[in-house]
């Protein structure tokens, strides 16, 4: 597979068009990306390029590695007890969680592949706190790139790389359309899982989680607020989602994708990791609704239509 944005010729020596998929961040709302990818898979459509930010990098990286089925099984069986098993508290450090448990779980499921060895060209987006610039991670260890991309400030310990400090890609490139174009995509499908998120379900879900998990340690108050309202972790997560949502609007105005897909996530929030079944279905429905336009765009751009 050609690298560096150079497109391989087809059998007649002509430039071959490429389909790109840009997957945005949104924490648990990113489970909807699984539904989007399942629809494309069912139609026989395989993206040539995938760029992902935060949860988009998590899902997109698993797909590029051929392990979407494993991730979907994990997502559909996710419970709060699963999340707490993965939690590695690092109180007093630069993040609430170290993130090593998540990295180890990813390595168990994905192995330790290099991004440049994947069948699909892939890039995860991170943000460098030292320069306030986006970092496109399109080579090197896949798990490390995903771990950098999901490093929500204050929640996960940042990744140190030489003199840089990498955190969640949503701070600079929440919907990585630019990166997808830079890697050579001609037709880009942008999936924004924060499209109509409004936080309305936040208090309701906090009470639901607290009622289910009274037996857990008091540390659960970091998520639930101990029944007194949203916990600190959820407030950080939801607040970050609102900021990213506004940044995406600005980015879309300057550089829109060719096809925009936004699952209807109103009534859900970024902490709904235990509602994967519903969120995957929302992603599926959003992509199905856009299939006629996708086929039109593929034909216009000279991309082969699946049989």
């Amino acid at each position: 597979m050609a690298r560096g944005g150079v497109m391989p010729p087809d059998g007649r020596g002509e430039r071959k068009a490429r389909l790109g998929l840009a997957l945005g961040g949104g924490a648990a709302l990113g489970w909807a990306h699984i539904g989007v990818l399942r629809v494309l898979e069912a139609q026989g459509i395989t993206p040539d390029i995938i760029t992902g930010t935060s949860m988009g990098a998590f899902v997109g990286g698993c797909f590029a590695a051929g392990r979407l089925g494993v991730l979907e099984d994990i997502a559909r069986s996710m419970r709060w007890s699963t999340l707490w098993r993965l939690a590695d508290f690092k109180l007093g450090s630069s993040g609430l969680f170290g993130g090593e448990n998540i990295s180890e779980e990813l390595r168990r499921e994905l192995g330790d592949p290099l991004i440049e060895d994947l069948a699909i060209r892939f890039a995860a987006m991170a943000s460098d706190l030292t320069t306030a610039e986006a970092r496109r991670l399109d080579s090197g260890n896949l798990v490390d790139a995903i771990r950098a991309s999901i490093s929500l400030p204050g929640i996960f310990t940042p990744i140190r790389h030489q003199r840089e400090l990498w955190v969640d890609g949503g701070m600079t490139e929440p919907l990585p359309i630019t990166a997808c174009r830079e890697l050579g995509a001609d037709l880009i499908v942008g999936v924004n899982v924060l499209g109509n998120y409004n936080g309305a379900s936040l208090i309701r879900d906090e009470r639901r989680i607290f009622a289910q998990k009274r037996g857990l340690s008091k540390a659960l108050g970091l998520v639930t607020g101990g029944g007194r309202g949203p916990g600190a972790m959820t407030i950080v997560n939801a607040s970050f989602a609102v900021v990213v949502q506004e940044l995406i609007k600005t980015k879309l105005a300057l550089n829109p994708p060719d096809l925009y897909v936004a699952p209807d996530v109103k009534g859900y929030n970024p902490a709904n990791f235990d509602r994967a079944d519903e969120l995957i279905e929302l992603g599926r429905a959003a992509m199905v609704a856009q299939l006629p336009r996708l086929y039109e765009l593929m034909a216009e751009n000279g991309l082969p239509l699946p049989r």
Side-chain angles (χ1 to χ4, degrees):
M1 181 177 294
R3 297 285 168 182
V6 178
M7 295 192 178
D10 61 15
R12 298 166 296 178
E14 296 177 356
R15 184 176 181 271
K16 180 180 178 295
R18 286 184 173 184
L19 174 65
L21 193 61
L23 306 179
L29 301 178
W31 289 142
H33 289 311
I34 297 175
V36 170
L37 287 164
R38 284 305 192 196
V39 170
L40 295 177
E41 223 176 24
Q43 296 296 313
I45 299 172
T46 302
D48 299 288
I49 298 163
I50 298 177
T51 53
T53 291
S54 197
M55 198 63 171
F58 196 103
V59 177
C62 288
F63 181 81
R67 304 291 283 173
L68 185 64
V70 172
L71 177 62
E72 183 173 357
D73 288 344
I74 292 172
R76 290 186 183 278
S77 63
M78 183 72 73
R79 299 294 180 266
W80 280 99
S81 57
T82 312
L83 291 173
W84 287 105
R85 178 176 58 81
L86 294 174
D88 48 352
F89 287 99
K90 296 289 183 181
L91 298 179
S93 69
S94 52
L96 181 61
F97 303 110
E100 288 87 356
N101 287 357
I102 291 178
S103 294
E104 289 176 8
E105 186 73 15
L106 276 171
R107 286 191 170 89
R108 275 194 291 271
E109 300 298 345
L110 301 180
D112 225 10
L114 296 176
I115 293 174
E116 50 266 44
D117 292 337
L118 300 176
I120 297 173
R121 186 155 197 202
F122 174 75
M125 301 305 299
S127 303
D128 176 20
L129 281 182
T130 64
T131 63
E133 295 176 344
R135 289 288 178 265
R136 190 185 76 207
L137 312 181
D138 57 2
S139 64
N141 187 274
L142 174 63
V143 172
D144 291 346
I146 293 172
R147 168 66 179 84
S149 190
I150 65 171
S151 296
L152 189 68
I155 301 299
F156 289 109
T157 303
I159 299 297
R160 293 188 179 276
H161 177 76
Q162 298 175 357
R163 296 185 178 181
E164 298 185 347
L165 200 61
W166 291 346
V167 295
D168 196 296
M171 292 185 64
T172 53
E173 199 67 24
L175 185 57
I177 297 165
T178 298
C180 208
R181 292 197 196 284
E182 290 172 348
L183 291 180
D186 294 281
L187 170 61
I188 297 176
V189 177
V191 185
N192 178 17
V193 295
L194 286 170
N196 66 348
Y197 165 68
N198 64 5
S201 67
L202 189 60
I203 301 297
R204 180 195 69 201
D205 278 1
E206 291 295 344
R207 290 172 177 166
R208 176 178 62 86
I209 294 165
F210 184 72
Q212 292 174 350
K213 299 298 177 184
R214 291 180 185 276
L216 291 180
S217 71
K218 292 182 180 179
L220 187 59
L222 290 165
V223 175
T224 66
R228 297 180 297 275
M233 193 172 80
T234 298
I235 289 294
V236 170
N237 204 343
S239 299
F240 188 75
V242 171
V243 172
V244 167
Q245 195 176 35
E246 293 304 309
L247 180 56
I248 288 175
K249 291 177 184 177
T250 301
K251 296 274 189 178
L252 285 173
L254 296 172
N255 185 24
D258 300 286
L259 182 65
Y260 178 69
V261 179
D264 182 9
V265 297
K266 187 176 181 181
Y268 295 83
N269 70 65
N272 288 152
F273 285 100
D274 58 342
R275 302 181 72 179
D277 289 349
E278 300 159 62
L279 289 163
I280 291 171
E281 175 57 26
L282 292 176
R284 189 201 67 79
M287 191 65 246
V288 166
Q290 294 287 355
L291 278 177
R293 180 56 181 155
L294 176 58
Y295 279 119
E296 290 176 2
L297 289 168
M298 289 176 67
E300 291 171 9
N301 283 271
L303 285 159
L305 298 175
R307 298 178 180 177

